Amino acid sequence: MKLERVLCPICSKDDAGKFLPFGPDHLVRCRTCGLVYSNPRRSMDEVSEFFEEKYIPDQKKLKRELGAWRAESLLREAEIIKAMKPAGAILDIGCAGGHFLEHFLKDGWECTGVEPSRVAAEEAGRKGIRIFQSVLNQADIGLSDHFDVVTYLDTLFFSSTPVDDLKKISRLLKNDGRLFLDLPGFTYRIARNYGPLCLLIDRRWTNFKLTSPHLFILSTRTLRKMLSQAGMEIEAVHLEQAPARGSSLMRLINRAHYEFCRLLFNLSGGSINLAAKAFYVCRKID
Ligand SMILES: [Zn+2]
């Protein structure tokens, strides 16, 4: 495995300390902006190859992990978007096999997807989606002020150029367009992958690995900083549940946790978020 050292993806400084006291050394927190990121991280050549050929190796992963397990969340997120924008042009970044865009295709939206995986991009293309088989910063989309909606679901943390990606999205969006981001909940991601809960469920102290293609962990605070560099801001936050997988009992626990988190989030006026995921609605700043 090849490694590379990087600057903070938000403020481009090299001033970070170990994030978790008994956790892995590569997970660091920037002393300037507070972003938690991987340094060193896997070389981007290796990560690109991973996403083109290995991340989605076959139809099984496409249909199960990126389709069925997330079906409920994707439907809920599509409904939130359509309540705000009933028709138009949509761009989905990391669109996999096009499961999410199918909700829009059937209503006559103009659907475009960006997807590095060859297997997934071919599947999405067969559905009638205009596809760029690439990561966003290399996709020659060539349109400005064109899209009513851009979605970047559960994928931004894989990007080696997140601020540039957001700047590009801002250019692609119409002035009244919206960016929708689905990201892991910060508290949930740490608690689930490090410490007693991880030990109890996975029989190991931490799931954070240097080999992981997850390059950073965003909180609402650090996301706000990243968006502001691209001239964007958060307009609203909706909570989301973890992928619905495993036994009926596991699905029931997942659902109960989600409903509990929503209640706590609402009662605390949005200040306590323990949910597995957050769905952010973002707009351009005038
Ligand atoms: Zn920083």
Side-chain angles (χ1 to χ4, degrees), residues 7-13 15 29-35 37:
L7 302 174
C8 169
I10 292 183
C11 60
S12 300
K13 293 195 173 156
D15 181 21
R29 180 175 224 156
C30 175
R31 293 190 180 94
T32 303
C33 71
L35 180 71
Y37 63 102

Side-chain angles (χ1 to χ4, degrees), residues 59 62 97 105 118-129 131:
Q59 292 289 332
L62 255 189
L105 269 179
R118 186 179 46 78
V119 171
E122 284 171 6
E123 171 79 12
R126 279 194 288 275
K127 290 174 179 165
I129 296 163
I131 277 287

Side-chain angles (χ1 to χ4, degrees), residues 69-83 100 103-104 153 180 182 238-244 254-255 258-259 262 277 279:
W69 287 358
R70 300 196 60 221
E72 207 176 314
S73 296
L74 295 183
L75 175 61
R76 199 161 32 224
E77 291 172 352
E79 283 173 352
I80 290 171
I81 293 171
K82 287 186 206 169
F100 185 64
H103 291 292
F104 297 85
L153 307 181
F180 296 84
D182 184 334
H238 303 267
L239 303 191
E240 257 310 325
Q241 66 186 65
N254 182 7
R255 183 76 202 185
Y258 171 59
E259 295 298 345
R262 283 218 296 197
K277 289 172 186 292
F279 186 57

Side-chain angles (χ1 to χ4, degrees), residues 89-103:
I90 180 170
L91 168 67
D92 187 21
I93 300 156
C95 70
H99 299 93
F100 185 64
L101 286 176
E102 281 182 278
H103 291 292

